[in-house]
Amino acid sequence: MVGTEVPCVPKVCAYITRNGRELLTFEADGHDGLQVPKGTIEPGESPREALRREVAEESGLTELGSITRLAEDVWVRRLSPPKLYRRHFFRVSVEEDRDAWTHVVTGEGEERGMEFEYAWRELPASREFALSLDDYVDRLESTVPRQ
């Protein structure tokens, strides 16, 4: 692969928080474990636009509070054949009364129709996330408004 640049697939990842102390996560059949809403940024879409769309499609949440950019990185999904993701991480605050729910994924992606089981987890997260999605969870505490 010398001299060949591997393209990065642009992604957004949402750390959705409630009360500044809980993080929304999901699990689903066919997925690698604990995850957060995420997805591919479509052509012509900004990361924030993609974030809003992906959160709505994957969780059903449409009333979002503050959105704060936390980090951007390049993550190696696999080495052979190479697949790289340029991940944009955001903290999103919401007011949500449900402690747990099942959401059927909407949109046009390959996950359409899948059921995601959502639940809130106390911060700091004690479980490792799939796909290194917890890489920036430690930054959430520094973005929580002081009471």
Side-chain angles (χ1 to χ4, degrees):
M1 299 270 327
V2 175
T4 304
E5 187 163 326
V6 177
C8 287
V9 178
K11 298 279 188 178
V12 290
C13 304
Y15 289 153
I16 300 172
T17 60
R18 175 173 79 169
N19 302 324
R21 296 181 305 274
E22 297 171 300
L23 176 65
L24 186 64
T25 62
F26 76 85
E27 295 184 87
D29 290 340
H31 281 62
D32 299 332
L34 200 60
Q35 298 195 27
V36 296
K38 70 203 169 317
T40 302
I41 301 171
E42 300 296 333
E45 212 174 27
S46 74
R48 285 181 186 263
E49 290 168 335
L51 177 80
R52 289 182 177 283
R53 177 183 51 76
E54 288 291 347
V55 167
E57 289 176 0
E58 291 196 358
S59 72
L61 296 174
T62 57
E63 297 296 320
L64 307 181
S66 66
I67 298 173
T68 306
R69 178 182 288 276
L70 289 178
E72 182 179 333
D73 68 13
V74 174
W75 184 71
V76 179
R77 174 71 166 121
R78 68 172 178 253
L79 292 173
S80 183
K83 185 163 197 167
L84 306 177
Y85 292 162
R86 178 170 305 281
R87 304 182 306 173
H88 301 262
F89 284 83
F90 291 88
R91 177 190 174 273
V92 180
S93 65
V94 297
E95 291 184 23
E96 176 58 50
D97 293 332
R98 296 174 292 177
D99 288 327
W101 68 92
T102 300
H103 179 75
V104 177
V105 178
T106 61
E108 303 300 319
E110 61 189 41
E111 294 175 329
R112 180 187 174 110
M114 293 183 74
E115 290 186 354
F116 288 180
E117 300 288 332
Y118 279 92
W120 296 98
R121 308 227 180 250
E122 286 289 326
L123 289 170
S126 59
R127 247 177 92 189
E128 193 171 300
F129 291 23
L131 308 170
S132 299
L133 289 169
D134 54 343
D135 281 353
Y136 304 101
V137 167
D138 62 333
R139 294 189 184 182
L140 291 175
E141 200 165 307
S142 66
T143 63
V144 174
R146 298 289 175 215
Q147 300 281 341

